[in-house]
DNA sequence: TCTTTGATAGCACAGTTGTGCTACTTTGCG
DNA sequence: CGCAAAGTAGCACAACTGTGCTATCAAAGA
């Protein structure tokens, strides 16, 4: 068999199979056999790259946060006016298209499993801390641009923005028809607008 | 064996065992055998009350929303000043103590499973619609009490409040140490205060 | 008292699970 | 060419799964 050029690449391919299986059959359906079948390979090959099933799921989880992080960095690198950029950054964490929806479903499934899987919980906590930090940075940027009124409790507002963000993500995930992407964006805009002086 | 006085009561007892198992070992661990063992009964007895495992999980799910609803009705019946009552009602949906935390964990686990279980998804959607309706009622009550400024988009604010609520619930669930109950309440209060005129 | 019914117990079955393990094939390097 | 290593394949095993099914037990109604 052809030697894989990049080991990391191969692992990503297999993790992609994990994603597809999880989206189709849930985490419960993500057995070693079903993932191998989805990836078009064998149990042995799968075990060569991931010594255990948990390792496989953990890697799939890290890929979620890695994807989000990469997209956000892309937006930041892209530049543009602060207000628009802030909105674009936050939107990258929401399941507003098929790609991000897939991430969201995997994220929800693994977040639930993390309730009883310590290692998975550690990954989830790290991702959560990063996302919260992102919210803090967004508020800082808005404050620098003069788009935030004085007298706000920064810590509390960070927590509130983070809650809105994850709440929207969850709702966009489980009721995509009654809460379409445009509506999600509108709620986010209203929230950010509410941070500056009203009337 | 003594005949069970109330069939519904017996079903609730068994569902309680489901909760405990889910909290300890996750949904994946909630097998017919483990639930029966936790309930101190047999597989046969369990199957007498729930013909299938799915039926068992679905009943456990309905109990979550039922509990929340009952507590909310209790608060409403209790009376009191509108502002305090509104806060109390919303708090009943958040995992701020052990009882509600248990509900939250079960809710998260089953919500994730609902991604691939249609019947469970229907239950989740019904609960979600109720919760969203609750947010709408809360906004109405605040408006009647003159605690909401004019010119707000009611639909959008309902969606935003609902997002804050579920976001806080999720965060209180997965990071209880960094986001204690007092802090959750503070965020909620800030959000409600932000609905009336600032300065 | 006997019968019917509610309730419990748990075996049997076919299937799936994760992982240990060995055998095999393909590739790169000397 | 030949050898070592990377990668693939899949069998074997013990453990566990949900559900069908029968047998048993307790109590209520006749």
């Amino acid at each position: 068999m052809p030697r894989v050029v990049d080991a990391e690449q191969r692992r990503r391919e297999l993790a992609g199979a994990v994603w597809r299986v999880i989206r189709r059959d849930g985490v419960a359906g993500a057995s070693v056999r079903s993932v191998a079948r989805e990836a078009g390979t064998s149990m042995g090959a799968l075990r060569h790259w991931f010594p255990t099933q948990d390792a496989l799921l953990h890697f799939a989880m890290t890929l979620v946060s890695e994807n989000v992080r990469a997209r956000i960095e892309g937006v930041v690198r892209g530049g543009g006016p602060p207000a628009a950029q802030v909105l674009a950054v936050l939107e990258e964490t929401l399941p507003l298209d098929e790609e991000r929806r897939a991430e969201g479903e995997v994220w929800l499934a693994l977040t639930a499993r993390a309730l009883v899987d310590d290692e998975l919980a550690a990954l989830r906590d790290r991702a959560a801390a990063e996302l919260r930090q992102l919210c803090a940075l967004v508020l800082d940027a808005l404050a620098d641009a003069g788009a935030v009124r004085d007298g706000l409790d920064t810590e509390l507002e960070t927590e509130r923005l983070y809650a809105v963000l994850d709440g929207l993500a969850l709702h966009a995930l489980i009721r995509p028809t009654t809460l379409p992407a445009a509506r999600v964006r509108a709620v986010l805009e209203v929230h950010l607008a509410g941070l500056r002086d009203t009337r």
Side-chain angles (χ1 to χ4, degrees), chain A residues 70-185:
Chain A
R71 276 204 309 271
I72 287 177
E73 284 174 4
V75 170
V76 171
R77 235 186 294 279
Q85 206 177 16
V86 156
L87 207 61
V89 162
L90 294 181
E91 273 187 19
E92 288 302 336
T93 70
L94 298 173
L96 300 184
D97 59 18
E98 262 311 302
E99 179 194 357
R100 283 175 281 175
R101 185 175 174 76
E103 288 172 6
E105 289 186 7
V106 173
W107 167 80
L108 180 57
L110 293 180
T111 291
R113 191 188 172 98
L115 287 177
V116 291
D117 181 332
D118 289 343
E119 204 168 339
L120 213 48
L123 292 176
R124 179 204 57 189
D125 290 345
R126 205 163 57 84
E130 280 184 17
L131 220 54
R132 190 182 180 283
Q133 180 62 19
L134 181 72
C135 290
L137 289 176
V138 159
L139 288 180
D140 271 357
L142 288 178
D144 286 348
V148 174
R149 68 171 177 276
D150 295 337
L152 287 186
D153 183 326
T154 311
E155 290 290 322
L156 233 50
E157 288 301 327
T158 299
E159 213 62 75
R160 190 162 71 107
L161 174 58
Y162 183 25
V164 169
L165 206 61
D166 263 0
L168 282 177
L170 186 63
H171 294 164
L173 209 56
I174 67 182
R175 21 187 289 263
T177 54
T178 54
L179 189 66
R183 198 151 186 72
V184 173
R185 288 198 187 91

Side-chain angles (χ1 to χ4, degrees), chain A residues 1-2 16 22 28 37 40 42 63 66-69 73 78 90 110 112 123 142-143 168 195 198-199:
Chain A
M1 294 279 172
I22 287 184
R37 200 179 317 126
S42 69
L63 275 193
E66 240 180 61
N67 279 7
V68 174
R69 193 175 343 174
E73 284 174 4
L90 294 181
L110 293 180
L123 292 176
L142 288 178
L168 282 177
L195 295 175
T198 54
R199 74 169 170 186

Side-chain angles (χ1 to χ4, degrees), chain A residues 33-90:
Chain A
R33 283 165 181 82
S34 64
V35 170
R37 200 179 317 126
E38 174 68 36
T41 181
S42 69
M43 291 169 49
L46 197 57
R47 288 206 74 219
H48 178 72
W49 296 103
F50 300 98
T52 172
Q53 191 196 21
D54 279 346
L56 180 58
L57 292 181
H58 295 165
F59 185 76
M61 179 69 153
T62 63
L63 275 193
V64 176
S65 15
E66 240 180 61
N67 279 7
V68 174
R69 193 175 343 174
R71 276 204 309 271
I72 287 177
E73 284 174 4
V75 170
V76 171
R77 235 186 294 279
Q85 206 177 16
V86 156
L87 207 61
V89 162
L90 294 181

